[in-house]
Amino acid sequence: MTTKECYDLMGADYEDVLGRLMSEKLVRKFLYKFADARDMGELQSSLKAQDYETAFRMAHNLKGVCANLGIKKLGASSSELCEELRGGQCTDRVEPMMAAVQADYDMTLAAIRQLQAEEI
């Protein structure tokens, strides 16, 4: 699998991130760092603990990383969740939004893991 094919699987913009990072090697490096990050786990934990300020920060971090890496689909769903959590409150929309973020994250992570496995 090529890096571009991985980006296609993720619903992401390869040309955008390549233009920003200027090297496929750097794109892969940061994708792999993203896959190993613990932000999603902290987002889940903070929501479960009803710590909505931390959940907001983690959703905001996820949104930002996705923007920098051109991961548009996950970036969009995490952006919606981030805005819903802004102000440190929880609404009845948070749970379905988190489910969408989780689905997009799982899809993104699966594509990155496939890219890593085929690189070895």
Side-chain angles (χ1 to χ4, degrees), residues 28 31 39 59-60 64-65 69 95 102 106 116:
R28 284 182 179 229
L31 277 179
D39 290 351
H60 193 272
V65 170
L69 291 177
E95 189 174 325
Q102 185 67 57
D106 291 344
Q116 281 180 305

Side-chain angles (χ1 to χ4, degrees), residues 14-27:
Y14 176 70
E15 298 303 325
D16 177 58
V17 73
L18 185 60
R20 200 170 19 267
L21 296 180
M22 310 279 280
S23 157
E24 183 169 341
K25 185 177 179 179
L26 278 177
V27 172

Side-chain angles (χ1 to χ4, degrees), residues 95-109:
E95 189 174 325
M97 286 179 167
M98 183 58 199
V101 169
Q102 185 67 57
D104 292 343
Y105 179 81
D106 291 344
M107 177 189 62
T108 299
L109 194 59

Side-chain angles (χ1 to χ4, degrees), residues 68-91:
N68 287 327
L69 291 177
I71 304 172
K72 301 228 180 246
K73 188 166 176 56
L74 177 56
S77 60
S78 60
S79 179
E80 288 178 12
L81 177 62
C82 178
E83 291 310 310
E84 192 66 23
L85 290 167
R86 188 175 295 280
Q89 349 180 14
C90 183
T91 68

Side-chain angles (χ1 to χ4, degrees), residues 50-77:
Q50 298 180 351
D51 179 357
Y52 302 119
E53 288 179 27
T54 300
F56 167 77
R57 281 195 323 274
M58 299 317 301
H60 193 272
N61 288 350
L62 184 59
K63 174 182 84 164
V65 170
C66 288
N68 287 327
L69 291 177
I71 304 172
K72 301 228 180 246
K73 188 166 176 56
L74 177 56
S77 60

